[in-house]
Amino acid sequence: MVQSTKRSVSTQAQQEFVPPYTNSIADTGLKEGFLEELILKDIYVTNFALGREISARTHLPFKVVEEVLEYLKRQLLIEVRTSGGLADYEYTPTEKGRDRARSFFDHNSYSGACPVPWTRYVDSLKYQTVRRESCTPRDLEVAFSDIMVNRHTINSVGPAINSGRGMFLFGEAGNGKTSIAERIARSFKGQIFIPYAVEIDGQIIRVFDSHNHEPVSPASYPREYDHRWVRIQRPCVVVGGELTIDMLELQFDYGTKLYEAPLQLKSNCGLLLIDDFGRQRIDHKSLLNRWIVPLEKRIDYLTLHTGKKLEIPFEQLIVFSTNLNPADLVDEAFLRRIPYKIHIGNPTEDEFKWIFLQYCQRMGVPYNEEAVNYLIETQYKSGKQEMRCCHPRDVVDQIINLCAFLQTEPRLSREYLDHACKVYFAAMGKA
């Protein structure tokens, strides 16, 4: 019996999730009254609307929209204004319909893509978990191709990604921890479907966020699917020092009566990067306590303003990036829940030169190894500074800006390097 269950779970994990096409009102999983409210508000906002225009805005099949429009006509809430051709008509609200729509807006101000039932969204996460991703050394080499990452780091990050659990990236500032974390998402090969919004007990939670979600080309869509869902690249959500506990909870707007999804819901089935961890405005221990259950059980709990609690799969790769030692931030119990602790150290001399060469080529500045050797001798081997991966970029930028001011072609020279270092390192060391 146990073996049968394991095979069932394994089979489910291999299936690709595609939201099935909706042929009827019942297929939407929503109550007829909810659809009537949504469509009447749409007509009220536009004043005049063709059935196919309503279908496009609500992402519902024309057939479903027609059924609702017929009901609204029978209730004398809308009337036909003109024929739109192709068995379509232009509708406008009656006075009774306008009054009803205004009362609906008092309930909530939502209009647009029709929401998906909460239970369907939850089910979709089980099929689209980030644990379906499996990266290879070659995948990471491609993802990190524009930054300097050594083999040790690749061999440490790869297994952490495949675990689908969590990792600390720690080390000195300026060595590319954030760049590495953001590029981890590039190694994800899968795409997922997410709803524009979800509905539960008449409450609406907006999920799709154009800032954090990148829709894929329509060419990659299946021939038939539920258009209330949008196909995106696995998300990569980044939050830094601005993070507060409130951003990890459902955010209810008492003006619009709508919810905004928290960060971990927007990043589900992708990557959530907590950047500059330990320097948030809130106590980092409070933040860690908020993560203990999700990291241990892969389940999170959210609460509606009505008091109803929602259980949601926690199916993302969470990455903590910090300049501090994790052991100084968290206790042993929490460290056990983040199985991968990866130190991102200073570059070697050869790595430093490689970064310098790559950035010079990118910015169109002739590379001069003799000048770079001079920089290494005077700033690093002298003990004035420690090498950081960001230094080549920042020094070259200083030279470009100086040469623009002097109206000369940018080049690496001892004179320009000395000037750049004096300005750049002024408050960072003895230079």
Side-chain angles (χ1 to χ4, degrees):
M1 190 70 175
V2 173
Q3 290 178 344
S4 174
T5 301
K6 285 183 177 179
R7 282 196 297 270
S8 174
V9 171
S10 177
T11 300
Q12 173 178 300
Q14 295 303 316
Q15 295 173 352
E16 180 183 8
F17 172 78
V18 176
Y21 186 78
T22 51
N23 285 302
S24 65
I25 290 176
D27 287 346
T28 68
L30 301 169
K31 296 178 180 178
E32 289 187 36
F34 184 92
L35 298 177
E36 292 154 11
E37 176 180 331
L38 181 70
I39 289 177
L40 183 59
K41 286 196 293 186
D42 181 274
I43 299 171
Y44 176 81
V45 168
T46 58
N47 199 26
F48 305 109
L50 290 168
R52 296 188 189 280
E53 292 173 342
I54 299 169
S55 173
R57 285 192 293 268
T58 59
H59 295 247
L60 289 168
F62 182 54
K63 177 183 176 183
V64 171
V65 170
E66 277 189 310
E67 288 185 55
V68 177
L69 289 172
E70 283 300 317
Y71 174 82
L72 294 175
K73 280 197 300 181
R74 290 196 301 271
Q75 296 297 308
L76 304 180
L77 297 173
I78 62 172
E79 59 188 6
V80 175
R81 185 167 177 261
T82 61
S83 171
L86 298 174
D88 195 6
Y89 300 92
E90 187 176 59
Y91 299 89
T92 190
T94 62
E95 197 56 42
K96 178 183 177 183
R98 292 180 191 280
D99 290 340
R100 185 72 59 83
R102 282 191 284 267
S103 70
F104 286 154
F105 274 107
D106 288 338
H107 177 225
N108 69 64
S109 65
Y110 187 80
S111 63
C114 181
V116 167
W118 172 261
T119 53
R120 293 191 185 179
Y121 171 58
V122 170
D123 287 342
S124 77
L125 298 175
K126 301 170 186 176
Y127 289 93
Q128 302 184 112
T129 169
V130 74
R131 287 175 285 172
R132 291 188 63 180
E133 289 290 334
S134 178
C135 74
T136 65
R138 178 56 184 162
D139 292 330
L140 289 187
E141 287 167 6
V142 172
F144 298 153
S145 60
D146 61 335
I147 60 175
M148 181 69 225
V149 178
N150 58 41
R151 178 55 58 180
H152 172 74
T153 299
I154 287 177
N155 290 342
S156 299
V157 169
I161 295 171
N162 289 343
S163 76
R165 296 185 66 185
M167 71 179 89
F168 268 108
L169 297 179
F170 69 100
E172 295 79 2
N175 282 331
K177 296 182 297 297
T178 303
S179 297
I180 289 172
E182 290 175 340
R183 283 161 179 77
I184 286 173
R186 294 185 186 176
S187 71
F188 294 158
K189 298 179 284 293
Q191 300 171 346
I192 64 170
F193 275 100
I194 64 170
Y196 288 96
V198 294
E199 181 274 341
I200 181 166
D201 291 351
Q203 306 294 321
I204 298 174
I205 305 169
R206 290 183 290 206
V207 176
F208 176 74
D209 177 357
S210 59
H211 178 70
N212 289 302
H213 296 142
E214 182 183 351
V216 301
S217 166
S220 70
Y221 278 72
R223 189 170 63 87
E224 285 193 345
Y225 71 100
D226 186 344
H227 287 235
R228 294 178 296 168
W229 301 70
V230 55
R231 196 170 201 173
I232 63 169
Q233 302 288 351
R234 288 194 184 272
C236 176
V237 176
V238 181
V239 63
E242 74 278 13
L243 177 64
T244 64
I245 286 291
D246 289 345
M247 296 168 71
L248 304 178
E249 307 299 338
L250 287 169
Q251 299 165 54
F252 184 70
D253 186 322
Y254 283 89
T256 63
K257 309 286 199 307
L258 300 174
Y259 290 90
E260 188 70 22
L263 295 173
Q264 69 274 26
L265 196 148
K266 291 182 179 181
S267 61
N268 240 336
C269 302
L271 181 144
L272 175 58
L273 168 60
I274 311 298
D275 200 16
D276 210 12
F277 179 65
R279 303 191 187 278
Q280 278 70 33
R281 289 180 290 173
I282 59 173
D283 176 34
H284 65 273
K285 291 183 180 178
S286 300
L287 178 60
L288 292 173
N289 288 336
R290 177 63 181 81
W291 291 120
I292 284 180
V293 171
L295 288 169
E296 181 75 18
K297 306 293 186 183
R298 303 197 75 95
I299 292 291
D300 194 17
Y301 295 92
L302 302 172
T303 306
L304 297 174
H305 79 287
T306 60
K308 182 181 179 71
K309 288 195 174 295
L310 307 178
E311 183 179 295
I312 181 77
F314 188 81
E315 288 292 352
Q316 68 266 92
L317 178 66
I318 185 166
V319 179
F320 296 92
S321 171
T322 180
N323 301 335
L324 309 174
N325 189 328
D328 296 333
L329 291 172
V330 301
D331 59 26
E332 183 181 342
F334 191 86
L335 282 176
R336 287 200 307 269
R337 292 173 169 85
I338 305 292
Y340 294 90
K341 279 75 75 173
I342 302 169
H343 181 252
I344 308 299
N346 293 334
T348 66
E349 185 174 323
D350 287 341
E351 289 169 345
F352 186 85
K353 290 181 178 180
W354 184 91
I355 297 169
F356 227 113
L357 171 63
Q358 296 300 309
Y359 196 71
C360 281
Q361 290 177 344
R362 185 184 306 172
M363 301 306 295
V365 177
Y367 179 72
N368 181 340
E369 186 164 0
E370 185 277 329
V372 174
N373 286 332
Y374 169 77
L375 173 68
I376 292 171
E377 288 291 335
T378 56
Q379 295 296 327
Y380 301 105
K381 290 187 176 179
S382 67
K384 291 182 179 180
Q385 311 294 336
E386 289 187 9
M387 284 185 181
R388 299 284 192 265
C389 290
C390 65
H391 288 176
R393 175 200 65 200
D394 296 341
V395 169
V396 170
D397 284 346
Q398 289 273 357
I399 290 174
I400 290 173
N401 293 331
L402 173 63
C403 291
F405 173 72
L406 298 176
Q407 297 183 311
T408 62
E409 287 296 317
R411 58 188 176 87
L412 299 186
S413 69
R414 294 189 176 196
E415 177 188 1
Y416 289 162
L417 284 170
D418 285 341
H419 176 90
C421 291
K422 186 166 186 175
V423 173
Y424 181 62
F425 292 124
M428 299 164 63
K430 300 176 184 177

